[in-house]
Amino acid sequence: MGMTTPPRTLAEALRARDDESLAGLLRARPDLLSPVPGDITQLATRAGTRASVVRALEHLDRFALQTAEALAVAPDPAPYDILLGLLTGDGQDDGRHRGDADAAIVAALPGALGTLREQALVWGEDDRLRLVRTARELLSPSPQHPSPTGLGPTVAEATAGMSPGRLQEILQAAGLPATHDPVSAVSALSALFTDRARMGELLDTAPVEALAVLDRLVWGPPYGEVTPNPTPPVKWLRDRGLLLPVSTRTVVLPREAALHLRAGRAHRVPEPQPPAVVAVAERDPQAVDSAAAGQAFLAVSTVEELLKSWNGGGPAILRAGGLSVRELKKTAATLDVSEPVAAFWIELAYAAGLLASDGEADERYAPTPAYDDWTELPAQDRWVELASAWLAATRTAGLVGGQDAKGRALSTLGPELDRSAAPEVRHRVLALLAALPPGTAPDPESVLARLRWERPLRGASTSAGETTDLRSRIALWTLNESELLGITGRGALASQTRALLSGGPAEAAALLAPLIPEPLDHVLLQADLTAVAPGPLERPLADMLGVLADIESKGGATVYRFTPGSVRRALDAGQSAADLHAFLAAHSRTPVPQPLSYLIDDVARRHGHLRIGAASSYVRCDDEAVLNEILADKRSATLRLRRLAPTALAAQIDPASLLDGLREMGYAPAAESADGDVLITRAGAVRTPPRSAPVPVPEGPPVPDPTLLGAAVRAIRAGDTAATVVHKETGPSTTTGALPRTTSAETLVTVQAAAMTGSAIWIGYVNAEGAASQRVIAPVRVEGGYVTAYDHTADEVRTYPLHRITGVAELADDQT
């Protein structure tokens, strides 16, 4: 939409945009929509607030930001040619040819300027480009906030408050004629510094040491400290205005002089093009997919093993929230991984909604009911759920072990691990990998360089006291976690992940399914009391074997070892010796070794020979000799036993401790109930109440959907139109009579139609106090029983409950 005259304000520039351009602004800066601005002027005011401008600058890429920084040090307004010169220089860069670099800048500048205009950071035609005032203040140089360009203040800014006599002394030392007022003196000095020929002649007379001082200041910071008696080179520069005083001990290189020394460039190295992501290896795509699938299956198995170890009730929760360091170490030992990797698996299970607090007084972590549903899914679907949860999670496991802003340690599952930038960084890293040919593994440093170019300001986030490049740290964690989770294989993005990012979960699961090995229904028993599982086992077999034997090693094949303790564990779970023999015979491809049969029979023969109950606790046994042996054993002293009868002993400790103590002495007691029956201790199935997965912490307002954007633009236009016309009292037309009452269905249909066409309607309305009124509104959105509309009567955007609208009618032509 063109304009007959140049815009004088940002509001006028926005008013000249078409609806699509306004929608693009609101899409790029969704914070401007909360709440919907009443008109264009309010939109422009909100777009110039400090918080909104900072957020917009943080989303600029490096060259768009460099363009804004160049405008911040350019005259206001600045012609396009001046801006281009600040980025390319004046062509006299010490005789060096910069044609290719300048051509890239010339080609990229319209796009960068278009981005700044779209986000309302720059407005005006090409001959009068203006950076919004707040952005200029944020990016302009000052002693407290040096410019990102390294440039200092202008001559006029640096000499403000300088005495007229001192200005005349500077002119005389610089070889300039005297003037009659300070304004013309400043203009003469500025003209000297911007004249390449005269400036070159002046610098030709400078001492070599003075030129060395300028070299140290030219690319910033432009401020330097001086003593009360400066050295001759500094005094030479100060006398001629090449160094101007900021305070009694500080001088600054004025902007015009610095630009001459820089050959007119605002930046030492303009970066118009993003750095390429460099490949370090090209692998067979099928090998990548297979490696990723193997790691995906291992990830699913690891999460399952983690939650199975907490099946009977997990570790206690710290008072401040989270998992203790001791429990993290214990979990890492159980999973046979390092502590950071264990923290990742725990956080992943929590993000997927498989793990939560049980909510009891003695609060502990435990699997959720969703875990049981998850274990029933095929392996590929379980992986898809884990990968999807990881992509969306704002919780960042890599922070575990660090410190928050108050110096407190960040713990696993603690409350301070959310970083709202994490999902965006993960998706962007994977998008960069997806842009490479299949099977290509990137150089991590090139990925980080690309991310820093895309969001140069966001990288320096100091959330929670972090002073390093948070986005780069999250990107590195993303690359490492991707390999752990099977998102990548051998450093390259897997086909199933490409499908997950573009096609959805069903397509990803379909690609992964053929690559996951089928579960086995057998093991190989060996004479050394071990069983070898040559691959993943079916769930019932794996569960039973996990009770009957201890895992000795993992890998391509899992090795289980049978011990007296493991066999006793199976007997405690309600299995008999005959059940165990039958189980092993049915699931072994090799004959059951005789030593294993003897082990089962021997443990079963002694199992339950001793009975333990509560006295505090007691031991009873039909064999008096066994009880005599226990009492005579020095190791029983800690159990505090005494004889109650020839076949019964009493203890002063609880039954569980007595049970463990006798087992440590080599006996195989069984617990019994108050009725004398043997208690069967089955694998616990402690579950939390139904819990939902943690909600990611959003990073600012969400991007509005097209419907909301269209409605918002219509509301802003309506408000702007109403603000520019003379308002008249609105009410019933004498020619049309009173407003008729309408049914709820008629009201809804009429309001929806008006919202679609953008037309105004006449309504009757009863407020919460029962006061009736009639008003003219322009509906923009109808949703959830409410209509959001521009109220011409009140001259603002309002929301009305539909059930309070008593009647509705279209306006006659003379009423519009």
Side-chain angles (χ1 to χ4, degrees):
M1 184 182 296
M3 292 190 65
T4 56
T5 58
R8 295 169 299 173
T9 63
L10 175 60
E12 289 186 3
L14 294 178
R15 192 169 287 117
R17 291 190 179 192
D18 56 25
D19 289 353
E20 183 179 352
S21 179
L22 276 182
L25 168 62
L26 298 176
R27 187 182 302 109
R29 298 175 65 178
D31 58 292
L32 301 180
L33 268 177
S34 181
V36 176
D39 53 31
I40 295 291
T41 301
Q42 191 177 116
L43 174 64
T45 301
R46 194 176 298 171
T49 59
R50 184 180 181 88
S52 184
V53 170
V54 167
R55 190 178 292 112
L57 291 174
E58 287 180 344
H59 284 81
L60 295 178
D61 62 48
R62 188 176 299 279
F63 188 62
L65 183 62
Q66 287 183 328
T67 302
E69 291 166 352
L71 280 172
V73 297
D76 186 29
Y80 184 89
D81 291 342
I82 294 293
L83 172 62
L84 181 62
L86 286 170
L87 293 170
T88 60
D90 55 17
Q92 303 184 38
D93 189 17
D94 299 331
R96 290 175 290 180
H97 180 65
R98 301 181 67 251
D100 293 342
D102 288 350
I105 294 173
V106 171
L109 183 56
L113 202 55
T115 298
L116 296 174
R117 276 191 171 121
E118 178 189 14
Q119 300 197 25
L121 295 172
V122 169
W123 57 279
E125 303 298 329
D126 281 356
D127 59 339
R128 293 178 62 83
L129 294 172
R130 291 184 180 274
L131 186 67
V132 295
R133 179 174 55 84
T134 308
R136 178 175 289 274
E137 292 172 356
L138 290 168
L139 299 176
S140 292
S142 70
Q144 296 77 24
H145 303 286
S147 168
T149 61
L151 291 169
T154 63
V155 171
E157 294 168 343
T159 56
M162 184 177 289
S163 67
R166 176 62 185 137
L167 283 172
Q168 297 303 319
E169 291 175 0
I170 292 176
L171 293 182
Q172 181 180 2
L176 297 175
T179 63
H180 299 288
D181 58 86
V183 175
S184 57
V186 170
S187 298
L189 192 60
S190 300
L192 169 64
F193 291 162
T194 54
D195 187 319
R196 290 203 63 84
R198 290 194 296 159
M199 188 66 169
E201 293 173 358
L202 176 63
L203 293 177
D204 286 342
T205 64
V208 175
E209 296 83 357
L211 296 178
V213 172
L214 294 178
D215 286 341
R216 289 197 297 270
L217 300 177
V218 63
W219 289 109
Y223 298 92
E225 291 188 4
V226 295
T227 61
N229 297 313
T231 60
V234 173
K235 187 175 184 304
W236 190 93
L237 293 170
R238 194 177 63 176
D239 290 345
R240 288 154 182 80
L242 291 170
L243 292 179
L244 294 173
V246 176
S247 65
T248 55
R249 298 182 61 86
T250 307
V251 293
V252 65
L253 175 65
R255 186 183 307 171
E256 294 87 346
L259 284 173
H260 170 83
L261 297 170
R262 296 180 177 194
R265 299 200 305 277
H267 300 89
R268 176 177 286 184
V269 182
E271 299 181 61
Q273 299 298 328
V277 177
V278 179
V280 294
E282 295 183 3
R283 313 186 193 281
D284 180 13
Q286 291 185 349
V288 167
D289 294 346
S290 297
Q295 193 60 38
F297 184 81
L298 180 59
V300 170
S301 301
T302 303
V303 171
E304 187 173 352
E305 182 182 356
L306 164 68
L307 296 177
K308 191 179 296 183
S309 68
W310 292 2
N311 206 26
I317 300 177
L318 295 174
R319 181 177 301 178
L323 201 66
S324 68
V325 174
R326 182 179 64 182
E327 292 293 349
L328 178 60
K329 290 181 177 179
K330 182 179 177 181
T331 303
T334 300
L335 300 179
D336 194 21
V337 296
S338 64
E339 291 172 29
V341 174
F344 168 69
W345 293 124
I346 295 171
E347 286 289 345
L348 179 61
Y350 179 68
L354 307 178
L355 174 67
S357 163
D358 60 11
E360 300 294 334
D362 180 19
E363 201 171 13
R364 293 179 174 275
Y365 291 110
T368 65
Y371 165 68
D372 297 313
D373 298 331
W374 180 75
T375 56
E376 297 300 322
L377 296 174
Q380 62 270 18
D381 293 327
R382 282 183 277 160
W383 176 82
V384 166
E385 287 198 11
L386 293 179
S388 300
W390 174 74
L391 284 170
T394 54
R395 295 188 61 82
T396 311
L399 294 171
V400 173
Q403 293 183 335
D404 63 10
K406 297 181 179 180
R408 296 172 299 194
L410 296 172
S411 60
T412 309
L413 299 178
E416 301 292 335
L417 295 186
D418 282 292
R419 297 295 179 269
S420 56
E424 188 267 336
V425 173
R426 291 191 192 109
H427 279 88
R428 187 57 194 147
V429 168
L430 297 185
L432 292 175
L433 269 62
L436 299 173
T440 302
D443 175 21
E445 286 301 322
S446 68
V447 174
L448 299 185
R450 177 63 170 266
L451 291 176
R452 293 190 189 104
W453 186 92
E454 292 179 348
R455 294 288 187 271
L457 288 184
R458 296 298 298 277
S461 171
T462 58
S463 175
E466 289 145 354
T467 57
T468 57
D469 188 344
L470 177 62
R471 282 175 61 87
S472 293
R473 294 171 66 197
I474 294 176
L476 281 176
W477 293 331
T478 297
L479 292 173
N480 295 332
E481 292 168 1
S482 295
E483 199 71 16
L484 283 173
L485 191 51
I487 296 289
T488 57
R490 303 178 66 187
L493 198 66
S495 299
Q496 51 267 27
T497 307
R498 295 175 186 270
L500 180 63
L501 296 174
S502 59
E507 185 177 340
L511 286 177
L512 180 60
L515 302 175
I516 291 182
E518 289 292 332
L520 304 176
D521 62 353
H522 65 273
V523 294
L524 305 175
L525 295 178
Q526 302 185 105
D528 61 350
L529 297 180
T530 60
V532 177
L537 299 176
E538 291 181 347
R539 181 168 308 282
L541 173 57
D543 291 344
M544 182 59 193
L545 201 58
V547 175
L548 180 56
D550 298 324
I551 296 178
E552 189 169 80
S553 65
K554 302 176 184 177
T558 304
V559 178
Y560 295 85
R561 177 165 294 279
F562 299 94
T563 66
S566 68
V567 174
R568 184 177 60 241
R569 186 169 62 232
L571 296 173
D572 287 342
Q575 300 292 325
S576 66
D579 294 334
L580 299 182
H581 287 303
F583 168 77
L584 294 175
H587 294 93
S588 176
R589 288 291 177 88
T590 59
V592 179
Q594 195 175 55
L596 180 55
S597 298
Y598 286 166
L599 174 65
I600 294 173
D601 291 337
D602 184 54
V603 175
R605 185 167 46 253
R606 294 184 292 118
H607 184 264
H609 193 51
L610 297 179
R611 302 295 182 90
I612 292 178
S616 296
S617 58
Y618 63 86
V619 182
R620 70 181 183 87
C621 180
D622 295 334
D623 190 343
E624 297 181 24
V626 174
L627 296 183
N628 292 334
E629 182 182 340
I630 292 175
L631 287 174
D633 196 322
K634 293 182 180 179
R635 293 175 295 174
S636 67
T638 58
L639 304 181
R640 299 165 65 189
L641 295 170
R642 63 186 178 87
R643 186 181 292 275
L644 292 179
T647 58
L649 301 177
Q652 299 302 313
I653 59 176
D654 61 273
S657 299
L658 181 56
L659 197 70
D660 292 338
L662 289 176
R663 283 176 176 170
E664 289 178 2
M665 292 171 62
Y667 298 95
E672 71 176 15
S673 68
D675 297 327
D677 300 323
V678 175
L679 292 176
I680 297 175
T681 56
R682 302 187 182 277
V686 176
R687 294 291 181 267
T688 70
R691 301 276 194 241
S692 57
V695 178
V697 177
E699 186 182 19
V703 177
D705 58 72
T707 302
L708 178 58
L709 282 177
V713 170
R714 290 199 300 273
I716 293 171
R717 292 288 191 201
D720 206 54
T721 301
T724 57
V725 299
V726 178
H727 293 280
K728 298 180 180 180
E729 292 295 329
T730 59
S733 172
T734 57
T735 61
T736 60
L739 179 67
R741 297 183 68 86
T742 56
T743 65
S744 299
E746 292 172 336
T747 298
L748 180 60
V749 170
T750 305
V751 171
Q752 287 178 332
M756 294 178 63
T757 60
S759 58
I761 56 175
W762 176 26
I763 67 169
Y765 180 72
V766 178
N767 64 16
E769 287 75 31
S773 62
Q774 294 179 345
R775 52 192 71 230
V776 176
I777 66 171
V780 295
R781 187 177 187 182
V782 183
E783 185 177 81
Y786 292 84
V787 54
T788 301
Y790 177 77
D791 189 329
H792 290 269
T793 308
D795 191 21
E796 64 181 1
V797 176
R798 287 185 174 180
T799 299
Y800 300 100
L802 286 172
H803 69 273
R804 293 190 177 277
I805 298 178
T806 59
V808 60
E810 297 180 357
L811 290 177
D813 293 339
D814 61 340
Q815 290 178 302
T816 58

